[in-house]
Amino acid sequence: MDSENRARFLSVQLKRIKVDKWCEGCGIQRDPGRGYVMHWIENYAGLFRHAWDQSLCKLCQHARKCGYHVVKECSQFEHRCLSEGANCRYEHIHQ
């Protein structure tokens, strides 16, 4: 994963951690605290990375907005080319 894609992934993963932490806080009716982030990383980071690798989100222009859903199909998907012109990886794979 190059630095640009790594930054996108980490940004989206951080958003997912924040959403999950907020949901956990709603469930227990208090802030789960800093320890929740480490808990999430230890228990869910690998699953999230696998889901990201399998998702359309990593190729989508809207990933930073909604990519934390890590879906395989999306009506809002708009391809974001990872390389220029005819060398576009998505186009090459899906032709």
Side-chain angles (χ1 to χ4, degrees), residues 8 38 58 93:
R8 277 171 55 88
M38 286 307 300
K58 69 182 178 189
I93 293 168

Side-chain angles (χ1 to χ4, degrees), residues 20-87:
D20 287 355
K21 185 180 178 193
W22 182 82
C23 290
E24 177 70 14
C26 288
I28 62 174
Q29 297 189 354
R30 65 178 170 79
D31 183 350
R34 289 183 176 196
Y36 181 80
V37 174
M38 286 307 300
H39 166 79
W40 193 97
I41 291 168
E42 291 168 357
N43 293 281
Y44 305 110
L47 295 171
F48 183 81
R49 174 60 187 266
H50 178 73
W52 175 262
D53 288 342
Q54 303 300 312
S55 77
L56 277 178
C57 301
K58 69 182 178 189
L59 298 172
C60 184
Q61 293 181 25
H62 307 294
R64 291 186 192 266
K65 180 175 76 173
C66 57
Y68 65 94
H69 293 294
V70 289
V71 295
K72 292 183 180 180
E73 296 181 23
C74 181
S75 63
Q76 302 299 313
F77 176 75
E78 288 186 51
H79 176 250
R80 174 185 165 271
C81 192
L82 301 176
S83 58
E84 295 297 320
N87 296 324

Side-chain angles (χ1 to χ4, degrees), residues 10 12 14 33 47 57-58 62-63 65 88-89 92:
L10 291 174
V12 172
L14 180 58
L47 295 171
C57 301
K58 69 182 178 189
H62 307 294
K65 180 175 76 173
C88 179
R89 290 186 224 164
H92 177 71

